[in-house]
Amino acid sequence: MTFSYIKILLMCLVLSIVFTSCDSTKQAVIVQPESEEYELPLEIWSTITLEKLSMKKNYCVIDEGGNPIEIGTKVLVLEKAVCVSVKYKSEPPIIFPTAGMVKIRVIDTGQEGWIWSTAAKLTK
């Protein structure tokens, strides 16, 4: 009977170590996003949609008019979008062929949203 309790406690300990070490968030700071061809707006979008334009390419689609965010804001990077390019719904629409998106959480406010991957510079 005692051996069973020890096994259960050991298993709980191992699982708690595994779950706490699997934190995939990374700290970052907001910088001016970079693009070779375009000046990217420094904004955060609450949602993005995926658009499949071919069998191999997913585009992230964002609307014009996200919320502004300041350079130097400390954030956590939560996930990376599964798109290779970004379609910015403006008039006319613009496709940024090498821009990716990441989901972030602003540390001070808890606000979450999507931003250009080059705008979130990892700090740790």
Side-chain angles (χ1 to χ4, degrees), residues 86-123:
V86 177
K87 182 178 179 182
Y88 187 64
K89 282 189 174 180
S90 60
E91 284 301 321
I94 303 169
I95 293 183
F96 300 101
T98 58
M101 303 290 286
V102 291
K103 187 172 187 178
I104 60 166
R105 178 183 305 130
V106 178
I107 293 174
D108 290 342
T109 65
Q111 176 188 17
E112 290 187 7
W114 295 89
I115 195 164
W116 310 103
S117 57
T118 58
K121 181 179 179 184
L122 297 178
T123 57

PDB file of all heavy atoms in Angstrom, residues 86-123:
ATOM      1  N   VAL A  86       1.520  38.058 -45.334  1.00  0.00           N
ATOM      2  CA  VAL A  86       0.398  38.758 -44.708  1.00  0.00           C
ATOM      3  C   VAL A  86      -0.309  39.609 -45.754  1.00  0.00           C
ATOM      4  O   VAL A  86       0.322  40.345 -46.508  1.00  0.00           O
ATOM      5  CB  VAL A  86       0.884  39.652 -43.546  1.00  0.00           C
ATOM      6  CG1 VAL A  86      -0.266  40.443 -42.950  1.00  0.00           C
ATOM      7  CG2 VAL A  86       1.555  38.806 -42.473  1.00  0.00           C
ATOM      8  N   LYS A  87      -1.635  39.496 -45.768  1.00  0.00           N
ATOM      9  CA  LYS A  87      -2.460  40.324 -46.646  1.00  0.00           C
ATOM     10  C   LYS A  87      -3.109  41.392 -45.776  1.00  0.00           C
ATOM     11  O   LYS A  87      -3.856  41.088 -44.854  1.00  0.00           O
ATOM     12  CB  LYS A  87      -3.522  39.472 -47.342  1.00  0.00           C
ATOM     13  CG  LYS A  87      -4.390  40.241 -48.305  1.00  0.00           C
ATOM     14  CD  LYS A  87      -5.364  39.286 -48.978  1.00  0.00           C
ATOM     15  CE  LYS A  87      -6.265  39.986 -49.936  1.00  0.00           C
ATOM     16  NZ  LYS A  87      -7.234  39.041 -50.530  1.00  0.00           N
ATOM     17  N   TYR A  88      -2.786  42.635 -46.059  1.00  0.00           N
ATOM     18  CA  TYR A  88      -3.282  43.785 -45.291  1.00  0.00           C
ATOM     19  C   TYR A  88      -4.464  44.359 -46.050  1.00  0.00           C
ATOM     20  O   TYR A  88      -4.314  44.831 -47.176  1.00  0.00           O
ATOM     21  CB  TYR A  88      -2.150  44.803 -45.147  1.00  0.00           C
ATOM     22  CG  TYR A  88      -2.419  45.974 -44.242  1.00  0.00           C
ATOM     23  CD1 TYR A  88      -2.635  45.801 -42.891  1.00  0.00           C
ATOM     24  CD2 TYR A  88      -2.431  47.259 -44.752  1.00  0.00           C
ATOM     25  CE1 TYR A  88      -2.850  46.883 -42.054  1.00  0.00           C
ATOM     26  CE2 TYR A  88      -2.644  48.352 -43.920  1.00  0.00           C
ATOM     27  CZ  TYR A  88      -2.850  48.152 -42.579  1.00  0.00           C
ATOM     28  OH  TYR A  88      -3.064  49.230 -41.750  1.00  0.00           O
ATOM     29  N   LYS A  89      -5.668  44.266 -45.456  1.00  0.00           N
ATOM     30  CA  LYS A  89      -6.881  44.728 -46.122  1.00  0.00           C
ATOM     31  C   LYS A  89      -6.967  46.244 -46.078  1.00  0.00           C
ATOM     32  O   LYS A  89      -7.512  46.823 -45.156  1.00  0.00           O
ATOM     33  CB  LYS A  89      -8.113  44.117 -45.471  1.00  0.00           C
ATOM     34  CG  LYS A  89      -8.383  42.709 -45.861  1.00  0.00           C
ATOM     35  CD  LYS A  89      -9.739  42.315 -45.317  1.00  0.00           C
ATOM     36  CE  LYS A  89     -10.165  40.969 -45.782  1.00  0.00           C
ATOM     37  NZ  LYS A  89     -11.463  40.606 -45.246  1.00  0.00           N
ATOM     38  N   SER A  90      -6.392  46.866 -47.059  1.00  0.00           N
ATOM     39  CA  SER A  90      -6.487  48.312 -47.223  1.00  0.00           C
ATOM     40  C   SER A  90      -6.974  48.552 -48.643  1.00  0.00           C
ATOM     41  O   SER A  90      -7.270  47.612 -49.376  1.00  0.00           O
ATOM     42  CB  SER A  90      -5.114  48.961 -46.983  1.00  0.00           C
ATOM     43  OG  SER A  90      -4.175  48.457 -47.903  1.00  0.00           O
ATOM     44  N   GLU A  91      -7.052  49.761 -49.038  1.00  0.00           N
ATOM     45  CA  GLU A  91      -7.446  50.082 -50.417  1.00  0.00           C
ATOM     46  C   GLU A  91      -6.272  50.659 -51.164  1.00  0.00           C
ATOM     47  O   GLU A  91      -5.883  51.787 -50.883  1.00  0.00           O
ATOM     48  CB  GLU A  91      -8.632  51.040 -50.427  1.00  0.00           C
ATOM     49  CG  GLU A  91      -9.934  50.386 -50.093  1.00  0.00           C
ATOM     50  CD  GLU A  91     -10.325  49.245 -51.020  1.00  0.00           C
ATOM     51  OE1 GLU A  91     -10.098  49.350 -52.247  1.00  0.00           O
ATOM     52  OE2 GLU A  91     -10.833  48.240 -50.521  1.00  0.00           O
ATOM     53  N   PRO A  92      -5.663  49.985 -52.083  1.00  0.00           N
ATOM     54  CA  PRO A  92      -5.860  48.575 -52.441  1.00  0.00           C
ATOM     55  C   PRO A  92      -5.177  47.657 -51.423  1.00  0.00           C
ATOM     56  O   PRO A  92      -4.300  48.088 -50.691  1.00  0.00           O
ATOM     57  CB  PRO A  92      -5.163  48.473 -53.807  1.00  0.00           C
ATOM     58  CG  PRO A  92      -4.081  49.484 -53.741  1.00  0.00           C
ATOM     59  CD  PRO A  92      -4.620  50.611 -52.892  1.00  0.00           C
ATOM     60  N   PRO A  93      -5.580  46.371 -51.397  1.00  0.00           N
ATOM     61  CA  PRO A  93      -4.936  45.430 -50.467  1.00  0.00           C
ATOM     62  C   PRO A  93      -3.445  45.303 -50.774  1.00  0.00           C
ATOM     63  O   PRO A  93      -3.034  45.392 -51.923  1.00  0.00           O
ATOM     64  CB  PRO A  93      -5.653  44.107 -50.736  1.00  0.00           C
ATOM     65  CG  PRO A  93      -6.908  44.465 -51.443  1.00  0.00           C
ATOM     66  CD  PRO A  93      -6.645  45.740 -52.164  1.00  0.00           C
ATOM     67  N   ILE A  94      -2.652  45.110 -49.727  1.00  0.00           N
ATOM     68  CA  ILE A  94      -1.204  44.953 -49.873  1.00  0.00           C
ATOM     69  C   ILE A  94      -0.824  43.577 -49.345  1.00  0.00           C
ATOM     70  O   ILE A  94      -1.280  43.172 -48.276  1.00  0.00           O
ATOM     71  CB  ILE A  94      -0.439  46.033 -49.072  1.00  0.00           C
ATOM     72  CG1 ILE A  94      -0.856  47.433 -49.512  1.00  0.00           C
ATOM     73  CG2 ILE A  94       1.064  45.852 -49.228  1.00  0.00           C
ATOM     74  CD1 ILE A  94      -0.337  48.525 -48.588  1.00  0.00           C
ATOM     75  N   ILE A  95       0.015  42.881 -50.086  1.00  0.00           N
ATOM     76  CA  ILE A  95       0.534  41.597 -49.611  1.00  0.00           C
ATOM     77  C   ILE A  95       1.998  41.783 -49.244  1.00  0.00           C
ATOM     78  O   ILE A  95       2.796  42.252 -50.050  1.00  0.00           O
ATOM     79  CB  ILE A  95       0.356  40.491 -50.661  1.00  0.00           C
ATOM     80  CG1 ILE A  95      -1.134  40.209 -50.837  1.00  0.00           C
ATOM     81  CG2 ILE A  95       1.105  39.229 -50.231  1.00  0.00           C
ATOM     82  CD1 ILE A  95      -1.474  39.103 -51.794  1.00  0.00           C
ATOM     83  N   PHE A  96       2.305  41.455 -48.013  1.00  0.00           N
ATOM     84  CA  PHE A  96       3.678  41.508 -47.520  1.00  0.00           C
ATOM     85  C   PHE A  96       4.234  40.092 -47.633  1.00  0.00           C
ATOM     86  O   PHE A  96       3.905  39.231 -46.814  1.00  0.00           O
ATOM     87  CB  PHE A  96       3.716  41.999 -46.075  1.00  0.00           C
ATOM     88  CG  PHE A  96       3.135  43.378 -45.894  1.00  0.00           C
ATOM     89  CD1 PHE A  96       1.847  43.547 -45.402  1.00  0.00           C
ATOM     90  CD2 PHE A  96       3.873  44.495 -46.237  1.00  0.00           C
ATOM     91  CE1 PHE A  96       1.319  44.819 -45.234  1.00  0.00           C
ATOM     92  CE2 PHE A  96       3.350  45.773 -46.069  1.00  0.00           C
ATOM     93  CZ  PHE A  96       2.071  45.933 -45.579  1.00  0.00           C
ATOM     94  N   PRO A  97       5.072  39.816 -48.642  1.00  0.00           N
ATOM     95  CA  PRO A  97       5.472  38.434 -48.928  1.00  0.00           C
ATOM     96  C   PRO A  97       6.360  37.775 -47.876  1.00  0.00           C
ATOM     97  O   PRO A  97       6.364  36.562 -47.768  1.00  0.00           O
ATOM     98  CB  PRO A  97       6.198  38.544 -50.263  1.00  0.00           C
ATOM     99  CG  PRO A  97       6.586  39.969 -50.392  1.00  0.00           C
ATOM    100  CD  PRO A  97       5.627  40.768 -49.577  1.00  0.00           C
ATOM    101  N   THR A  98       7.086  38.520 -47.097  1.00  0.00           N
ATOM    102  CA  THR A  98       8.000  37.881 -46.137  1.00  0.00           C
ATOM    103  C   THR A  98       7.644  38.198 -44.689  1.00  0.00           C
ATOM    104  O   THR A  98       8.417  37.907 -43.796  1.00  0.00           O
ATOM    105  CB  THR A  98       9.445  38.324 -46.401  1.00  0.00           C
ATOM    106  OG1 THR A  98       9.519  39.752 -46.300  1.00  0.00           O
ATOM    107  CG2 THR A  98       9.925  37.886 -47.762  1.00  0.00           C
ATOM    108  N   ALA A  99       6.514  38.806 -44.469  1.00  0.00           N
ATOM    109  CA  ALA A  99       6.121  39.180 -43.105  1.00  0.00           C
ATOM    110  C   ALA A  99       5.336  38.045 -42.458  1.00  0.00           C
ATOM    111  O   ALA A  99       4.448  37.469 -43.070  1.00  0.00           O
ATOM    112  CB  ALA A  99       5.280  40.450 -43.127  1.00  0.00           C
ATOM    113  N   GLY A 100       5.670  37.724 -41.221  1.00  0.00           N
ATOM    114  CA  GLY A 100       4.921  36.753 -40.447  1.00  0.00           C
ATOM    115  C   GLY A 100       4.247  37.450 -39.276  1.00  0.00           C
ATOM    116  O   GLY A 100       4.462  38.633 -39.034  1.00  0.00           O
ATOM    117  N   MET A 101       3.440  36.717 -38.549  1.00  0.00           N
ATOM    118  CA  MET A 101       2.718  37.267 -37.409  1.00  0.00           C
ATOM    119  C   MET A 101       2.953  36.389 -36.184  1.00  0.00           C
ATOM    120  O   MET A 101       3.126  35.178 -36.303  1.00  0.00           O
ATOM    121  CB  MET A 101       1.210  37.321 -37.696  1.00  0.00           C
ATOM    122  CG  MET A 101       0.808  38.102 -38.930  1.00  0.00           C
ATOM    123  SD  MET A 101       1.045  39.865 -38.794  1.00  0.00           S
ATOM    124  CE  MET A 101      -0.280  40.337 -37.717  1.00  0.00           C
ATOM    125  N   VAL A 102       2.965  37.031 -35.017  1.00  0.00           N
ATOM    126  CA  VAL A 102       3.033  36.315 -33.748  1.00  0.00           C
ATOM    127  C   VAL A 102       1.941  36.858 -32.831  1.00  0.00           C
ATOM    128  O   VAL A 102       1.573  38.031 -32.912  1.00  0.00           O
ATOM    129  CB  VAL A 102       4.414  36.444 -33.054  1.00  0.00           C
ATOM    130  CG1 VAL A 102       5.483  35.709 -33.822  1.00  0.00           C
ATOM    131  CG2 VAL A 102       4.810  37.877 -32.827  1.00  0.00           C
ATOM    132  N   LYS A 103       1.446  35.975 -31.975  1.00  0.00           N
ATOM    133  CA  LYS A 103       0.459  36.394 -30.983  1.00  0.00           C
ATOM    134  C   LYS A 103       1.209  36.792 -29.726  1.00  0.00           C
ATOM    135  O   LYS A 103       2.094  36.057 -29.269  1.00  0.00           O
ATOM    136  CB  LYS A 103      -0.527  35.277 -30.670  1.00  0.00           C
ATOM    137  CG  LYS A 103      -1.661  35.726 -29.773  1.00  0.00           C
ATOM    138  CD  LYS A 103      -2.719  34.665 -29.647  1.00  0.00           C
ATOM    139  CE  LYS A 103      -3.912  35.209 -28.890  1.00  0.00           C
ATOM    140  NZ  LYS A 103      -4.977  34.197 -28.810  1.00  0.00           N
ATOM    141  N   ILE A 104       0.854  37.957 -29.171  1.00  0.00           N
ATOM    142  CA  ILE A 104       1.547  38.462 -27.994  1.00  0.00           C
ATOM    143  C   ILE A 104       0.557  38.791 -26.886  1.00  0.00           C
ATOM    144  O   ILE A 104      -0.640  38.933 -27.130  1.00  0.00           O
ATOM    145  CB  ILE A 104       2.381  39.727 -28.318  1.00  0.00           C
ATOM    146  CG1 ILE A 104       1.478  40.842 -28.831  1.00  0.00           C
ATOM    147  CG2 ILE A 104       3.495  39.414 -29.282  1.00  0.00           C
ATOM    148  CD1 ILE A 104       2.136  42.213 -28.868  1.00  0.00           C
ATOM    149  N   ARG A 105       1.088  38.917 -25.671  1.00  0.00           N
ATOM    150  CA  ARG A 105       0.328  39.438 -24.527  1.00  0.00           C
ATOM    151  C   ARG A 105       1.154  40.555 -23.920  1.00  0.00           C
ATOM    152  O   ARG A 105       2.315  40.359 -23.568  1.00  0.00           O
ATOM    153  CB  ARG A 105       0.087  38.370 -23.477  1.00  0.00           C
ATOM    154  CG  ARG A 105      -0.674  38.927 -22.256  1.00  0.00           C
ATOM    155  CD  ARG A 105      -0.861  37.910 -21.149  1.00  0.00           C
ATOM    156  NE  ARG A 105      -1.497  36.707 -21.633  1.00  0.00           N
ATOM    157  CZ  ARG A 105      -1.027  35.478 -21.400  1.00  0.00           C
ATOM    158  NH1 ARG A 105       0.069  35.290 -20.692  1.00  0.00           N
ATOM    159  NH2 ARG A 105      -1.657  34.419 -21.882  1.00  0.00           N
ATOM    160  N   VAL A 106       0.558  41.748 -23.808  1.00  0.00           N
ATOM    161  CA  VAL A 106       1.238  42.880 -23.182  1.00  0.00           C
ATOM    162  C   VAL A 106       1.314  42.595 -21.685  1.00  0.00           C
ATOM    163  O   VAL A 106       0.297  42.332 -21.040  1.00  0.00           O
ATOM    164  CB  VAL A 106       0.491  44.206 -23.463  1.00  0.00           C
ATOM    165  CG1 VAL A 106       1.174  45.367 -22.761  1.00  0.00           C
ATOM    166  CG2 VAL A 106       0.398  44.454 -24.969  1.00  0.00           C
ATOM    167  N   ILE A 107       2.519  42.623 -21.138  1.00  0.00           N
ATOM    168  CA  ILE A 107       2.731  42.250 -19.736  1.00  0.00           C
ATOM    169  C   ILE A 107       1.990  43.192 -18.788  1.00  0.00           C
ATOM    170  O   ILE A 107       1.342  42.749 -17.843  1.00  0.00           O
ATOM    171  CB  ILE A 107       4.240  42.200 -19.402  1.00  0.00           C
ATOM    172  CG1 ILE A 107       4.885  41.037 -20.168  1.00  0.00           C
ATOM    173  CG2 ILE A 107       4.476  42.066 -17.905  1.00  0.00           C
ATOM    174  CD1 ILE A 107       6.386  40.940 -20.048  1.00  0.00           C
ATOM    175  N   ASP A 108       2.033  44.502 -19.023  1.00  0.00           N
ATOM    176  CA  ASP A 108       1.411  45.471 -18.105  1.00  0.00           C
ATOM    177  C   ASP A 108      -0.110  45.429 -18.111  1.00  0.00           C
ATOM    178  O   ASP A 108      -0.733  45.614 -17.066  1.00  0.00           O
ATOM    179  CB  ASP A 108       1.863  46.895 -18.444  1.00  0.00           C
ATOM    180  CG  ASP A 108       3.330  47.126 -18.111  1.00  0.00           C
ATOM    181  OD1 ASP A 108       3.904  46.342 -17.322  1.00  0.00           O
ATOM    182  OD2 ASP A 108       3.906  48.090 -18.637  1.00  0.00           O
ATOM    183  N   THR A 109      -0.730  45.202 -19.275  1.00  0.00           N
ATOM    184  CA  THR A 109      -2.185  45.313 -19.381  1.00  0.00           C
ATOM    185  C   THR A 109      -2.907  43.989 -19.579  1.00  0.00           C
ATOM    186  O   THR A 109      -4.110  43.905 -19.367  1.00  0.00           O
ATOM    187  CB  THR A 109      -2.567  46.230 -20.551  1.00  0.00           C
ATOM    188  OG1 THR A 109      -2.155  45.609 -21.777  1.00  0.00           O
ATOM    189  CG2 THR A 109      -1.948  47.607 -20.405  1.00  0.00           C
ATOM    190  N   GLY A 110      -2.187  42.959 -20.044  1.00  0.00           N
ATOM    191  CA  GLY A 110      -2.823  41.680 -20.338  1.00  0.00           C
ATOM    192  C   GLY A 110      -3.476  41.632 -21.716  1.00  0.00           C
ATOM    193  O   GLY A 110      -4.032  40.609 -22.102  1.00  0.00           O
ATOM    194  N   GLN A 111      -3.402  42.726 -22.467  1.00  0.00           N
ATOM    195  CA  GLN A 111      -3.988  42.760 -23.804  1.00  0.00           C
ATOM    196  C   GLN A 111      -3.293  41.725 -24.688  1.00  0.00           C
ATOM    197  O   GLN A 111      -2.074  41.594 -24.672  1.00  0.00           O
ATOM    198  CB  GLN A 111      -3.822  44.149 -24.427  1.00  0.00           C
ATOM    199  CG  GLN A 111      -4.317  44.254 -25.844  1.00  0.00           C
ATOM    200  CD  GLN A 111      -3.958  45.579 -26.509  1.00  0.00           C
ATOM    201  OE1 GLN A 111      -3.092  46.304 -26.047  1.00  0.00           O
ATOM    202  NE2 GLN A 111      -4.619  45.882 -27.594  1.00  0.00           N
ATOM    203  N   GLU A 112      -4.085  40.963 -25.442  1.00  0.00           N
ATOM    204  CA  GLU A 112      -3.534  39.985 -26.362  1.00  0.00           C
ATOM    205  C   GLU A 112      -3.900  40.341 -27.783  1.00  0.00           C
ATOM    206  O   GLU A 112      -4.952  40.930 -28.029  1.00  0.00           O
ATOM    207  CB  GLU A 112      -4.043  38.570 -26.048  1.00  0.00           C
ATOM    208  CG  GLU A 112      -3.502  38.007 -24.776  1.00  0.00           C
ATOM    209  CD  GLU A 112      -3.880  36.544 -24.551  1.00  0.00           C
ATOM    210  OE1 GLU A 112      -4.458  35.914 -25.464  1.00  0.00           O
ATOM    211  OE2 GLU A 112      -3.591  36.038 -23.461  1.00  0.00           O
ATOM    212  N   GLY A 113      -3.031  39.997 -28.710  1.00  0.00           N
ATOM    213  CA  GLY A 113      -3.316  40.243 -30.105  1.00  0.00           C
ATOM    214  C   GLY A 113      -2.160  39.795 -30.977  1.00  0.00           C
ATOM    215  O   GLY A 113      -1.175  39.226 -30.509  1.00  0.00           O
ATOM    216  N   TRP A 114      -2.282  40.089 -32.253  1.00  0.00           N
ATOM    217  CA  TRP A 114      -1.308  39.678 -33.259  1.00  0.00           C
ATOM    218  C   TRP A 114      -0.511  40.877 -33.745  1.00  0.00           C
ATOM    219  O   TRP A 114      -1.049  41.973 -33.884  1.00  0.00           O
ATOM    220  CB  TRP A 114      -2.019  39.019 -34.432  1.00  0.00           C
ATOM    221  CG  TRP A 114      -2.682  37.745 -34.041  1.00  0.00           C
ATOM    222  CD1 TRP A 114      -3.956  37.591 -33.557  1.00  0.00           C
ATOM    223  CD2 TRP A 114      -2.108  36.446 -34.062  1.00  0.00           C
ATOM    224  NE1 TRP A 114      -4.207  36.277 -33.280  1.00  0.00           N
ATOM    225  CE2 TRP A 114      -3.082  35.545 -33.585  1.00  0.00           C
ATOM    226  CE3 TRP A 114      -0.864  35.950 -34.436  1.00  0.00           C
ATOM    227  CZ2 TRP A 114      -2.847  34.176 -33.475  1.00  0.00           C
ATOM    228  CZ3 TRP A 114      -0.635  34.585 -34.337  1.00  0.00           C
ATOM    229  CH2 TRP A 114      -1.628  33.711 -33.867  1.00  0.00           C
ATOM    230  N   ILE A 115       0.772  40.656 -33.986  1.00  0.00           N
ATOM    231  CA  ILE A 115       1.666  41.721 -34.424  1.00  0.00           C
ATOM    232  C   ILE A 115       2.677  41.107 -35.392  1.00  0.00           C
ATOM    233  O   ILE A 115       2.872  39.888 -35.416  1.00  0.00           O
ATOM    234  CB  ILE A 115       2.353  42.390 -33.211  1.00  0.00           C
ATOM    235  CG1 ILE A 115       2.982  43.718 -33.594  1.00  0.00           C
ATOM    236  CG2 ILE A 115       3.341  41.449 -32.559  1.00  0.00           C
ATOM    237  CD1 ILE A 115       3.328  44.596 -32.397  1.00  0.00           C
ATOM    238  N   TRP A 116       3.324  41.950 -36.176  1.00  0.00           N
ATOM    239  CA  TRP A 116       4.372  41.489 -37.084  1.00  0.00           C
ATOM    240  C   TRP A 116       5.436  40.752 -36.293  1.00  0.00           C
ATOM    241  O   TRP A 116       5.829  41.196 -35.225  1.00  0.00           O
ATOM    242  CB  TRP A 116       5.008  42.669 -37.810  1.00  0.00           C
ATOM    243  CG  TRP A 116       4.042  43.606 -38.444  1.00  0.00           C
ATOM    244  CD1 TRP A 116       3.662  44.822 -37.976  1.00  0.00           C
ATOM    245  CD2 TRP A 116       3.313  43.393 -39.661  1.00  0.00           C
ATOM    246  NE1 TRP A 116       2.753  45.389 -38.825  1.00  0.00           N
ATOM    247  CE2 TRP A 116       2.516  44.532 -39.875  1.00  0.00           C
ATOM    248  CE3 TRP A 116       3.261  42.350 -40.600  1.00  0.00           C
ATOM    249  CZ2 TRP A 116       1.672  44.659 -40.978  1.00  0.00           C
ATOM    250  CZ3 TRP A 116       2.434  42.496 -41.698  1.00  0.00           C
ATOM    251  CH2 TRP A 116       1.646  43.620 -41.872  1.00  0.00           C
ATOM    252  N   SER A 117       5.929  39.657 -36.817  1.00  0.00           N
ATOM    253  CA  SER A 117       6.945  38.892 -36.092  1.00  0.00           C
ATOM    254  C   SER A 117       8.244  39.685 -35.902  1.00  0.00           C
ATOM    255  O   SER A 117       8.929  39.494 -34.908  1.00  0.00           O
ATOM    256  CB  SER A 117       7.236  37.561 -36.802  1.00  0.00           C
ATOM    257  OG  SER A 117       7.647  37.779 -38.124  1.00  0.00           O
ATOM    258  N   THR A 118       8.539  40.596 -36.825  1.00  0.00           N
ATOM    259  CA  THR A 118       9.760  41.392 -36.673  1.00  0.00           C
ATOM    260  C   THR A 118       9.595  42.507 -35.652  1.00  0.00           C
ATOM    261  O   THR A 118      10.581  43.170 -35.316  1.00  0.00           O
ATOM    262  CB  THR A 118      10.196  42.005 -38.015  1.00  0.00           C
ATOM    263  OG1 THR A 118       9.142  42.820 -38.518  1.00  0.00           O
ATOM    264  CG2 THR A 118      10.552  40.923 -39.021  1.00  0.00           C
ATOM    265  N   ALA A 119       8.385  42.730 -35.153  1.00  0.00           N
ATOM    266  CA  ALA A 119       8.157  43.775 -34.160  1.00  0.00           C
ATOM    267  C   ALA A 119       8.359  43.282 -32.736  1.00  0.00           C
ATOM    268  O   ALA A 119       8.444  44.065 -31.809  1.00  0.00           O
ATOM    269  CB  ALA A 119       6.743  44.346 -34.298  1.00  0.00           C
ATOM    270  N   ALA A 120       8.411  41.961 -32.551  1.00  0.00           N
ATOM    271  CA  ALA A 120       8.599  41.381 -31.219  1.00  0.00           C
ATOM    272  C   ALA A 120      10.020  40.837 -31.114  1.00  0.00           C
ATOM    273  O   ALA A 120      10.298  39.717 -31.547  1.00  0.00           O
ATOM    274  CB  ALA A 120       7.575  40.289 -30.969  1.00  0.00           C
ATOM    275  N   LYS A 121      10.916  41.643 -30.564  1.00  0.00           N
ATOM    276  CA  LYS A 121      12.317  41.237 -30.441  1.00  0.00           C
ATOM    277  C   LYS A 121      12.486  40.490 -29.125  1.00  0.00           C
ATOM    278  O   LYS A 121      12.266  41.048 -28.041  1.00  0.00           O
ATOM    279  CB  LYS A 121      13.226  42.467 -30.469  1.00  0.00           C
ATOM    280  CG  LYS A 121      14.684  42.136 -30.378  1.00  0.00           C
ATOM    281  CD  LYS A 121      15.544  43.379 -30.434  1.00  0.00           C
ATOM    282  CE  LYS A 121      17.004  43.002 -30.310  1.00  0.00           C
ATOM    283  NZ  LYS A 121      17.861  44.181 -30.274  1.00  0.00           N
ATOM    284  N   LEU A 122      12.888  39.223 -29.225  1.00  0.00           N
ATOM    285  CA  LEU A 122      13.055  38.398 -28.033  1.00  0.00           C
ATOM    286  C   LEU A 122      14.151  38.944 -27.140  1.00  0.00           C
ATOM    287  O   LEU A 122      15.195  39.386 -27.618  1.00  0.00           O
ATOM    288  CB  LEU A 122      13.373  36.951 -28.418  1.00  0.00           C
ATOM    289  CG  LEU A 122      12.285  36.224 -29.202  1.00  0.00           C
ATOM    290  CD1 LEU A 122      12.751  34.826 -29.562  1.00  0.00           C
ATOM    291  CD2 LEU A 122      10.984  36.170 -28.423  1.00  0.00           C
ATOM    292  N   THR A 123      13.892  38.918 -25.827  1.00  0.00           N
ATOM    293  CA  THR A 123      14.867  39.432 -24.870  1.00  0.00           C
ATOM    294  C   THR A 123      15.525  38.333 -24.056  1.00  0.00           C
ATOM    295  O   THR A 123      16.579  38.530 -23.499  1.00  0.00           O
ATOM    296  CB  THR A 123      14.221  40.444 -23.904  1.00  0.00           C
ATOM    297  OG1 THR A 123      13.123  39.818 -23.251  1.00  0.00           O
ATOM    298  CG2 THR A 123      13.775  41.671 -24.644  1.00  0.00           C
TER     299      THR A 123
END
